[in-house]
Amino acid sequence: MSQPLRILIVDDSALMRRMIRAMLDRDPDLTVVGEAADGREAIARAAELRPDLITLDVRMPVMDGVETTRQIMAYQPTPILVLTASLSRYDIDITFQMLGAGALDVMEKPQLSDGAALERARIALVRKIKLLARVKVVTHLRGRRKQNVELSMVNGELPNKQATATSPSLGGTSTTDHSPFTIQHSPFPVVVIGASTGGPGVVRQILAGLPRGYGAAVVVVQHIAQGFSAGMVEWMAGSSALPIMLADAGAAIRPGQVIVAPDRVDLLLDDKGRVKLSALPLLLQRPAIDITMQSVAEAYGPLATGVLLTGMGRDGALGMRSIRRAGGYTIAQDEASCTIFGMPKAAIDLGAAHVVLPPDKIIEALIARVDTPRRGIT
């Protein structure tokens, strides 16, 4: 690197700020340019210092992590890495709200433990910062709209309601002349959704858009830090008409239900629709999207649909190609709506994607592809 990456540390604990600074100062490619003890100070320091990345606490006085993320992403878009000390339900919920507001990723805070564990935590933190600091983040206007609404209410004004636009017809950038076909025969179809950095909010949006009684089983493989998958499931379930649960070994998948791969293991399906969880170190990333998609391609062939969303690297590209070669249907998220276009681009370059779509069109494609019974599945 020609210039060190400039980092802003935000945490209400002076001890934690000192610890994170000491960890980062050991790497010549990183320099800590400032600190902040609460959200409001973080916003001011971000505007003043224009750092390459912000490490952001969840619980803080004056302004919590959610509103801080919204304001930074609305007025000074900067890569944000969420650091949380707790995996409690309350803190996990705030954490995923921060990811939905534009933060890129989450890690558990380093613990004051033995030297070997602390060094492993330092290496993981430095690696994550170096990856995320180069991401070109986009402005999230929701923070500005929220602030404008609050100002209008203070002034005694009511915001104008926008007319709801009707959904346009299914479309997008197609990499082939083939169109999606509707699956109407048994066994039931399976949809695999793979995502990494920037993915939780998009996955949540897609699941929230699928109707109750959706006629396919849905499998989600989201790269997430260890310890956060259960909380992510609860967060996603809060906005979905479909039941969402962590995958259990031996459980049978069902149409109208969503299972999510636990962190640190790979999820496979057999031809009877039963879950197998594997901890074999077959790939660098675990859970691996490629492994899940390849197993679904083998077991379900033309009944499989693969969806590859935002993320860094190439995981999922080979799996998407397996689904396409098996006669299934494949969708890649478009570049404009991706936080990081790496994984979808890899699939597109490989010729693995039938179509390239934004999230709202992905929802339409998934609904159009699957014949959903009118009666919901309970």
Side-chain angles (χ1 to χ4, degrees), residues 301-347:
L303 295 174
T305 298
V307 181
L308 195 56
L309 305 176
T310 173
M312 196 175 298
R314 300 182 54 83
D315 190 20
L318 293 175
M320 287 266 282
R321 186 172 67 178
S322 296
I323 290 176
R324 181 164 187 173
R325 286 179 172 176
Y329 194 67
T330 53
I331 306 169
Q333 185 179 353
D334 72 332
E335 183 174 9
S337 65
C338 279
T339 300
I340 301 176
F341 192 47
M343 295 190 330
K345 183 178 186 302

Side-chain angles (χ1 to χ4, degrees), residues 52-330:
D52 295 307
L53 180 136
I54 300 169
T55 66
L56 186 56
D57 193 10
V58 173
R59 290 201 203 193
M60 297 178 292
V62 184
M63 184 181 291
D64 69 8
V66 178
E67 188 56 31
T68 304
T69 301
R70 287 178 181 146
Q71 294 299 313
I72 289 174
M73 297 310 296
Y75 294 99
Q76 188 65 48
T78 307
I80 293 174
L81 173 61
V82 180
L83 296 181
T84 179
S86 171
L87 297 181
S88 70
R89 182 171 182 176
Y90 175 78
D91 284 352
I92 288 291
D93 183 65
I94 294 178
T95 295
F96 282 100
Q97 287 184 56
M98 292 169 71
L99 292 178
L104 292 181
D105 213 337
V106 57
M107 290 184 69
E108 195 170 4
K109 287 182 182 179
Q111 302 294 321
L112 285 169
S113 54
D114 65 273
L118 196 60
E119 178 61 13
R120 287 194 297 272
R122 186 193 73 82
I123 293 171
L125 177 61
V126 168
R127 181 185 298 120
K128 182 71 70 174
I129 287 174
K130 288 182 178 181
L131 286 173
L132 298 181
R134 299 299 185 183
V135 174
K136 293 181 179 180
V137 294
V138 299
T139 300
H140 289 244
L141 296 177
R142 282 173 296 180
R144 296 190 186 187
R145 288 197 294 266
K146 182 175 186 293
Q147 189 176 61
N148 291 338
V149 168
E150 290 172 348
L151 289 173
S152 297
M153 294 177 72
V154 168
N155 294 330
E157 303 170 4
L158 292 175
N160 293 326
K161 291 185 177 179
Q162 297 287 336
T164 301
T166 57
S167 297
S169 59
L170 186 64
T173 304
S174 177
T175 61
T176 177
D177 293 329
H178 298 145
S179 298
F181 58 87
T182 300
I183 298 172
Q184 296 177 324
H185 55 281
S186 60
F188 56 82
V190 178
V191 175
V192 184
I193 301 174
S196 188
T197 307
V202 184
V203 174
R204 188 175 192 252
Q205 177 186 351
I206 291 172
L207 296 181
L210 299 179
R212 185 180 301 278
Y214 183 59
V218 181
V219 181
V220 174
V221 184
Q222 167 68 57
H223 298 165
I224 197 73
Q226 186 172 2
F228 290 90
S229 56
M232 181 179 66
V233 166
E234 288 191 18
W235 178 68
M236 290 179 176
S239 63
S240 176
L242 304 178
I244 304 175
M245 61 207 73
L246 271 183
D248 287 324
I253 61 171
R254 302 179 187 279
Q257 294 184 351
V258 182
I259 63 167
V260 178
D263 55 64
R264 308 299 294 170
V265 294
D266 290 319
L267 188 157
L268 300 90
L269 294 180
D270 63 23
D271 57 4
K272 294 181 175 61
R274 296 197 174 276
V275 173
K276 178 183 178 182
L277 300 178
S278 171
L280 294 176
L282 299 178
L283 294 177
L284 293 176
Q285 178 65 53
R286 201 169 57 205
I289 302 166
D290 277 327
I291 287 178
T292 301
M293 286 189 172
Q294 287 168 359
S295 77
V296 171
E298 292 173 6
Y300 289 88
L303 295 174
T305 298
V307 181
L308 195 56
L309 305 176
T310 173
M312 196 175 298
R314 300 182 54 83
D315 190 20
L318 293 175
M320 287 266 282
R321 186 172 67 178
S322 296
I323 290 176
R324 181 164 187 173
R325 286 179 172 176
Y329 194 67
T330 53

